[in-house]
Amino acid sequence: MKPDPEMIEPSCIWRLLTNGWTTSQVAALLHLSVGKVLTAQEAETSRLKNTDPKLIANSVIQRRPQPGR
């Protein structure tokens, strides 16, 4: 029996950008230039290009409920 394929964990830059963060917000958060963020996004998109979407770990960041809300 074949083992199940492992899930691929995308980079934090790719995850943040797919969750609605702007390039400038990601750059400020990670102390990178906007150009570096765009380069990293392009590299990650290229890496994931031929990957079955079912094997990409859920890119949605689940926000924890704030206490008292």
Side-chain angles (χ1 to χ4, degrees):
M1 184 170 154
K2 283 185 180 179
D4 289 336
E6 289 189 33
M7 299 296 286
I8 296 172
E9 183 69 36
S11 70
C12 68
I13 291 174
W14 192 83
R15 288 185 74 150
L16 289 169
L17 291 171
T18 58
N19 277 279
W21 289 58
T22 65
T23 306
S24 56
Q25 289 173 324
V26 174
L29 177 70
L30 300 176
H31 304 286
L32 297 171
S33 69
V34 171
K36 293 235 185 230
V37 171
L38 291 173
T39 300
Q41 177 191 22
E42 185 177 296
E44 187 69 5
T45 301
S46 176
R47 184 176 79 93
L48 296 173
K49 185 177 183 179
N50 295 322
T51 304
D52 183 353
K54 291 184 247 172
L55 295 179
I56 299 173
N58 188 356
S59 63
V60 177
I61 299 171
Q62 301 296 326
R63 297 189 189 270
R64 295 182 189 179
Q66 298 297 319
R69 288 190 181 189

